[in-house]
Amino acid sequence: MRRVMLILFLSVVLVNAQSVYGQTSSRVECGNIATAEFAESKSVLTFQIELSPGYKLWFETERFGDYLLFNVVSNVKSKGSGLLAPSGAVVVSARDELFNFSDSYLPNIALETGVLGERGLYTIQLANEEAVGAFRLRIGCVTDTGTVINPGDVAPPAPPTPVLPTLPANFVGFPGLAPVDFASAIPLPLIAGTPMTGAVTPTGGEVFAFALDASGGTNLDLTVNRLSGNLNLGLVVLSANNEVVFQASLVTSQTLNTRFTLPAAGQYTIGVFRVDLLSPAAPEATAFQVQAALNP
């Protein structure tokens, strides 16, 4: 793994800085420079950051003073330092920075991920040893489009969430669906006949996209199964020209099977996402499976 070691001085003007004192968790964003403090020995501070597939993340600490030490040997899932994925998997661990595994601490930490594959809240976890004290946490990202956001940069604003027109109180009929932006989705190759899985969360805006190459006039047999959870799922098939070839929603249904004809040769995008129609009272993360087959 490539190591990113940035030499930054205390005299640098902090841009987009945050302070976290006496807290065990805080939300951060790409480009943030956060100031945090360990108030007790052998404690853990966590920072949650929303990331999408295709992103890369790096972060580093800069301690105040000369005696604060970060715990790097303990497992990240307990009291070690590193990065956890939304699924709970360890992405990177600070123990990988050690050259001498008889040591159990480092004065500062600098970690970098490869390309991330999950969508949702990642957790930067930092643990200390006996000494307490303050430090700065610098966070940088490379977006799925290749945009570099360095610590101190202002992250580009997220696109506004489309709002459906307000319906009259006595409205009867289909309320419609808001547009769904596929710009951040990275289509995965969909092999005909091979099941592909994914999951959406109650609070995330996940869009799972699958790419399928087909000839014009080919029939596509498409099956979508809800594996778990109760969120409403939207399904759309787009042509290479962003034309809607097929659209459906799984509201209370568990399975969808359909066959339709693809109008022209090219790469089609099959997208699955959360929709708000008959929202459940107790939303649960929902896993699904998509399978496609091409027939003459």
Side-chain angles (χ1 to χ4, degrees):
M1 179 187 294
R2 179 172 64 88
R3 307 298 184 201
V4 176
M5 301 297 292
L6 301 177
I7 302 176
L8 296 172
F9 297 93
L10 290 175
S11 59
V12 172
V13 177
L14 296 185
V15 181
N16 200 16
Q18 297 179 341
S19 295
V20 184
Y21 293 104
Q23 298 182 12
T24 58
S25 183
S26 179
R27 286 292 293 268
V28 292
E29 296 179 354
C30 296
N32 278 172
I33 301 174
T35 301
E37 181 173 359
F38 290 107
E40 299 179 353
S41 298
K42 295 186 180 298
S43 57
V44 175
L45 294 176
T46 59
F47 304 82
Q48 292 189 316
I49 181 168
E50 184 91 25
L51 297 171
S52 301
Y55 269 61
K56 295 180 183 179
L57 172 73
W58 74 88
F59 59 91
E60 63 174 6
T61 64
E62 179 190 31
R63 65 181 182 175
F64 292 88
D66 299 325
Y67 54 87
L68 176 63
L69 296 172
F70 292 90
N71 183 328
V72 296
V73 169
S74 297
N75 187 287
V76 181
K77 293 186 178 181
S78 56
K79 284 195 174 182
S81 300
L83 180 71
L84 295 171
S87 63
V90 177
V91 181
V92 288
S93 172
R95 69 181 302 164
D96 298 332
E97 295 288 297
L98 288 179
F99 296 100
N100 182 357
F101 280 90
S102 64
D103 295 332
S104 62
Y105 53 80
L106 285 172
N108 278 305
I109 292 172
L111 291 177
E112 178 186 8
T113 74
V115 178
L116 301 175
E118 294 185 48
R119 187 186 311 274
L121 284 177
Y122 287 76
T123 301
I124 298 171
Q125 181 169 292
L126 299 172
N128 68 329
E129 286 285 325
E130 297 293 340
V132 300
F135 62 93
R136 289 189 179 96
L137 173 65
R138 293 181 167 87
I139 303 168
C141 298
V142 179
T143 71
D144 54 340
T145 60
T147 300
V148 178
I149 305 173
N150 289 306
D153 292 346
V154 177
T161 302
V163 179
L164 291 176
T166 302
L167 300 176
N170 59 349
F171 175 82
V172 177
F174 178 59
L177 296 172
V180 178
D181 189 358
F182 278 38
S184 62
I186 301 177
L188 301 174
L190 181 61
I191 302 173
T194 301
M196 303 288 286
T197 59
V200 296
T201 60
T203 57
E206 301 91 350
V207 176
F208 284 83
F210 307 96
L212 181 67
D213 292 319
S215 302
T218 302
N219 292 318
L220 176 62
D221 291 325
L222 189 61
T223 300
V224 180
N225 292 314
R226 183 197 305 270
L227 301 179
S228 63
N230 59 4
L231 298 177
N232 304 321
L233 298 177
L235 171 68
V236 68
V237 179
L238 301 173
S239 72
N241 297 323
N242 200 43
E243 299 167 322
V244 177
V245 177
F246 177 81
Q247 186 277 325
S249 299
L250 281 75
V251 180
T252 58
S253 54
Q254 302 298 316
T255 300
L256 170 70
N257 292 288
T258 186
R259 168 180 280 198
F260 53 91
T261 302
L262 301 176
Q267 185 175 87
Y268 289 82
T269 300
I270 300 171
V272 182
F273 45 88
R274 178 174 58 86
V275 296
D276 293 317
L277 289 174
L278 182 62
S279 299
E284 302 171 355
T286 299
F288 61 87
Q289 183 181 80
V290 177
Q291 185 168 340
L294 295 172
N295 296 288

